[in-house]
Coordinates of all heavy atoms in Angstrom, one line a residue:
F34 N -267.5 162.1 -15.0 CA -266.9 161.0 -15.8 C -265.9 160.2 -14.9 O -265.5 160.6 -14.0 CB -266.4 161.4 -17.1 CG -265.2 162.1 -17.1 CD1 -263.8 161.6 -17.3 CD2 -265.2 163.6 -16.9 CE1 -262.8 162.3 -17.3 CE2 -264.1 164.3 -16.8 CZ -262.9 163.7 -17.1
E35 N -265.5 159.0 -15.4 CA -264.6 158.3 -14.8 C -263.6 157.7 -15.9 O -264.0 157.7 -17.0 CB -265.2 157.0 -13.9 CG -265.7 157.4 -12.7 CD -264.7 157.8 -11.7 OE1 -263.5 157.4 -11.7 OE2 -265.1 158.8 -11.0
G36 N -262.5 157.2 -15.5 CA -261.6 156.5 -16.4 C -261.2 155.2 -15.8 O -260.6 155.3 -14.6
H56 N -264.2 153.1 -8.8 CA -264.5 154.2 -9.7 C -265.9 154.4 -9.7 O -266.3 155.6 -9.7 CB -264.0 153.7 -11.1 CG -262.5 154.0 -11.3 ND1 -262.0 155.2 -11.5 CD2 -261.5 153.1 -11.3 CE1 -260.8 155.1 -11.7 NE2 -260.4 153.9 -11.5
R59 N -266.8 156.3 -6.4 CA -266.5 157.7 -6.7 C -267.4 158.5 -7.5 O -268.0 159.6 -7.3 CB -265.1 157.9 -7.2 CG -264.7 159.4 -7.4 CD -263.2 159.5 -7.6 NE -262.8 159.1 -8.9 CZ -261.6 159.1 -9.4 NH1 -260.6 159.4 -8.6 NH2 -261.4 158.7 -10.7
Y96 N -259.4 151.0 -22.1 CA -259.8 151.9 -21.1 C -261.3 152.1 -21.3 O -261.9 152.1 -22.4 CB -259.1 153.2 -21.6 CG -259.3 154.4 -20.7 CD1 -258.6 154.7 -19.6 CD2 -260.3 155.4 -21.2 CE1 -258.8 155.8 -18.8 CE2 -260.5 156.6 -20.5 CZ -259.8 156.8 -19.3 OH -259.9 157.9 -18.6
R98 N -264.6 154.4 -20.3 CA -265.0 155.9 -20.0 C -266.4 155.9 -19.6 O -267.2 156.1 -20.5 CB -264.5 156.8 -21.1 CG -265.1 158.2 -21.1 CD -264.7 159.0 -19.9 NE -263.3 159.1 -19.6 CZ -262.5 160.0 -20.1 NH1 -262.9 160.9 -21.1 NH2 -261.3 160.1 -19.8
Y129 N -250.3 157.0 -21.3 CA -250.9 158.3 -21.3 C -249.8 159.3 -21.3 O -249.8 160.4 -22.0 CB -251.8 158.5 -20.1 CG -252.5 159.8 -20.1 CD1 -253.6 160.0 -20.9 CD2 -252.1 160.9 -19.2 CE1 -254.3 161.3 -20.9 CE2 -252.7 162.1 -19.2 CZ -253.8 162.3 -20.0 OH -254.5 163.5 -19.9
R145 N -255.1 175.8 -10.0 CA -256.1 174.9 -9.9 C -257.4 175.4 -9.5 O -257.4 176.3 -8.6 CB -255.7 173.8 -8.9 CG -256.5 172.5 -8.9 CD -256.5 171.7 -10.2 NE -257.1 170.4 -10.2 CZ -258.1 170.1 -11.2 NH1 -258.2 170.9 -12.1 NH2 -258.5 168.8 -11.1
A153 N -262.8 170.2 -7.6 CA -261.9 169.3 -8.4 C -262.2 167.8 -8.1 O -261.9 167.0 -8.9 CB -260.5 169.6 -8.0
K156 N -264.7 165.4 -10.5 CA -264.4 165.0 -11.9 C -265.4 165.5 -12.9 O -266.1 164.6 -13.6 CB -264.3 163.5 -11.9 CG -263.1 163.0 -12.9 CD -262.6 161.6 -12.7 CE -261.9 161.1 -14.0 NZ -260.8 162.0 -14.5
Y161 N -262.6 170.3 -16.8 CA -261.4 169.8 -17.5 C -260.7 170.9 -18.4 O -259.7 170.7 -18.9 CB -261.6 168.4 -18.1 CG -261.3 167.4 -17.0 CD1 -262.2 167.1 -16.0 CD2 -260.0 166.8 -17.0 CE1 -261.9 166.2 -15.0 CE2 -259.7 165.9 -16.0 CZ -260.6 165.7 -14.9 OH -260.3 164.8 -13.9
S164 N -257.6 171.8 -16.7 CA -256.5 170.8 -16.9 C -256.0 170.9 -18.4 O -254.8 170.8 -18.6 CB -257.1 169.3 -16.8 OG -257.3 169.0 -15.4
F181 N -250.0 172.0 -11.2 CA -250.9 173.1 -10.7 C -250.5 173.4 -9.3 O -250.2 172.6 -8.4 CB -252.2 172.5 -10.6 CG -253.1 172.6 -11.7 CD1 -253.8 171.5 -12.3 CD2 -253.4 173.8 -12.3 CE1 -254.6 171.6 -13.3 CE2 -254.2 173.8 -13.4 CZ -254.8 172.8 -13.9
E190 N -251.6 169.2 -8.0 CA -251.6 168.1 -8.8 C -251.2 168.3 -10.2 O -251.0 169.6 -10.6 CB -252.9 167.2 -8.8 CG -254.1 168.0 -9.3 CD -255.4 167.2 -9.2 OE1 -255.3 166.0 -9.0 OE2 -256.5 167.9 -9.2
G191 N -250.9 167.3 -11.1 CA -250.7 167.5 -12.5 C -252.0 167.8 -13.2 O -253.2 167.8 -12.5
S192 N -252.1 167.8 -14.5 CA -253.4 168.1 -15.3 C -254.3 166.8 -15.2 O -255.5 167.1 -15.2 CB -253.1 168.4 -16.7 OG -252.7 167.3 -17.4
A193 N -253.7 165.7 -14.9 CA -254.6 164.5 -14.7 C -253.9 163.5 -13.9 O -254.1 162.3 -14.1 CB -254.9 164.0 -16.2
E194 N -253.1 163.9 -13.0 CA -252.3 163.0 -12.1 C -252.1 163.5 -10.7 O -252.0 164.9 -10.5 CB -250.9 162.7 -12.7 CG -250.8 162.3 -14.1 CD -250.8 163.6 -15.1 OE1 -250.6 164.7 -14.5 OE2 -250.8 163.5 -16.3
N195 N -252.2 162.7 -9.7 CA -251.8 163.2 -8.3 C -250.3 163.2 -8.2 O -249.6 162.7 -9.0 CB -252.5 162.3 -7.3 CG -254.0 162.5 -7.3 OD1 -254.8 161.6 -7.5 ND2 -254.4 163.7 -6.8
F196 N -249.8 164.0 -7.1 CA -248.5 164.3 -7.0 C -248.0 163.7 -5.7 O -248.7 163.7 -4.6 CB -248.4 165.8 -6.8 CG -246.9 166.4 -6.6 CD1 -246.1 166.7 -7.7 CD2 -246.6 166.5 -5.3 CE1 -244.8 167.1 -7.4 CE2 -245.3 166.9 -5.0 CZ -244.4 167.2 -6.1
N212 N -257.9 170.8 -3.1 CA -258.4 170.9 -4.4 C -257.8 169.9 -5.5 O -257.7 170.1 -6.6 CB -258.0 172.3 -5.0 CG -258.8 173.4 -4.3 OD1 -260.0 173.4 -4.0 ND2 -258.1 174.5 -3.9
I213 N -257.5 168.7 -4.9 CA -257.1 167.6 -5.8 C -258.3 166.7 -6.2 O -259.3 166.8 -5.4 CB -256.1 166.7 -5.1 CG1 -256.6 166.0 -3.8 CG2 -254.8 167.5 -4.8 CD1 -255.7 164.9 -3.3
L214 N -258.1 165.9 -7.2 CA -259.1 164.9 -7.4 C -258.7 163.7 -6.3 O -257.4 163.5 -6.2 CB -259.0 164.3 -8.9 CG -260.0 163.1 -9.1 CD1 -261.3 163.6 -9.2 CD2 -259.6 162.3 -10.2
E215 N -259.7 163.2 -5.7 CA -259.3 162.2 -4.7 C -259.0 160.9 -5.5 O -259.8 160.0 -5.8 CB -260.5 162.0 -3.8 CG -260.7 163.2 -2.9 CD -261.9 163.1 -2.0 OE1 -262.4 161.9 -1.8 OE2 -262.3 164.0 -1.4
G216 N -257.7 160.8 -6.0 CA -257.3 159.8 -6.9 C -257.2 158.3 -6.3 O -257.0 158.2 -5.1
I217 N -257.8 157.5 -7.1 CA -257.8 156.0 -6.8 C -256.4 155.5 -6.9 O -256.0 154.7 -6.1 CB -258.9 155.3 -7.6 CG1 -260.2 155.9 -7.3 CG2 -258.8 153.8 -7.5 CD1 -261.3 155.4 -8.2
T218 N -255.6 155.9 -7.8 CA -254.2 155.5 -7.9 C -253.5 156.1 -6.7 O -252.6 155.4 -6.1 CB -253.6 155.9 -9.2 OG1 -254.4 155.7 -10.3 CG2 -252.2 155.2 -9.5
R219 N -253.8 157.2 -6.3 CA -253.2 157.8 -5.1 C -253.4 156.9 -3.9 O -252.4 156.6 -3.1 CB -253.8 159.2 -4.9 CG -253.4 160.0 -3.7 CD -254.1 161.4 -3.6 NE -253.8 162.1 -2.4 CZ -254.5 161.9 -1.3 NH1 -255.5 161.1 -1.2 NH2 -254.2 162.7 -0.3
S220 N -254.6 156.5 -3.7 CA -254.8 155.5 -2.6 C -254.1 154.2 -2.8 O -253.6 153.6 -1.8 CB -256.4 155.1 -2.5 OG -257.1 156.3 -2.3
S221 N -254.0 153.7 -4.0 CA -253.3 152.5 -4.2 C -251.8 152.6 -3.9 O -251.1 151.7 -3.4 CB -253.3 152.1 -5.8 OG -254.6 152.0 -6.2
C253 N -249.2 160.1 -10.5 CA -249.8 159.0 -10.7 C -251.3 159.2 -11.0 O -251.8 160.2 -10.8 CB -249.8 158.1 -9.5 SG -250.5 158.7 -8.1
G254 N -251.8 158.2 -11.7 CA -253.2 158.3 -12.1 C -253.6 157.1 -13.0 O -252.7 156.3 -13.3
T255 N -254.9 156.8 -13.1 CA -255.3 155.7 -14.0 C -254.6 155.7 -15.4 O -254.1 154.7 -15.8 CB -256.9 155.7 -14.1 OG1 -257.5 155.7 -13.0 CG2 -257.2 154.5 -15.0
G256 N -254.7 156.8 -16.0 CA -254.0 157.0 -17.3 C -252.4 157.0 -17.2 O -251.8 156.1 -17.9
A257 N -251.9 157.8 -16.4 CA -250.4 158.0 -16.2 C -249.8 156.8 -15.6 O -248.6 156.6 -15.8 CB -250.2 159.3 -15.6
Q258 N -250.6 156.1 -14.8 CA -250.1 155.0 -14.0 C -249.1 155.6 -13.0 O -249.4 156.5 -12.2 CB -249.5 153.8 -14.8 CG -250.4 153.4 -15.9 CD -249.9 152.4 -16.9 OE1 -250.0 151.2 -16.6 NE2 -249.4 152.9 -18.0
Y286 N -246.6 148.2 -8.3 CA -247.8 148.8 -8.9 C -248.1 148.1 -10.3 O -249.1 147.6 -10.6 CB -247.8 150.3 -9.0 CG -249.0 150.9 -9.7 CD1 -250.2 150.9 -8.8 CD2 -249.1 151.1 -10.9 CE1 -251.4 151.5 -9.4 CE2 -250.3 151.6 -11.5 CZ -251.3 151.8 -10.7 OH -252.5 152.2 -11.3
Ligands
PMP1 N1 -256.2 164.3 -10.9 C1 -256.8 164.6 -12.0 C2 -257.2 166.0 -12.3 C3 -257.3 163.5 -12.9 O1 -257.9 163.8 -14.0 C4 -256.9 162.2 -12.6 C5 -257.2 161.1 -13.5 N2 -258.5 160.7 -13.3 C6 -256.1 162.0 -11.4 C7 -255.8 163.1 -10.6 C8 -255.8 160.6 -11.0 O2 -257.0 159.9 -10.5 P1 -257.2 158.4 -10.6 O3 -256.0 157.8 -10.0 O4 -258.4 158.1 -9.8 O5 -257.3 158.1 -12.0

Side-chain angles (χ1 to χ4, degrees):
F34 66 99
E35 282 297 324
H56 280 282
R59 180 167 74 185
Y96 180 82
R98 166 58 57 84
Y129 182 78
R145 188 67 173 130
K156 212 164 167 58
Y161 273 76
S164 288
F181 271 127
E190 60 182 341
S192 70
E194 308 88 8
N195 288 113
F196 176 93
N212 296 313
I213 62 167
L214 178 75
E215 295 177 12
I217 292 168
T218 317
R219 176 179 176 273
S220 300
S221 303
C253 67
T255 300
Q258 306 176 90
Y286 182 79

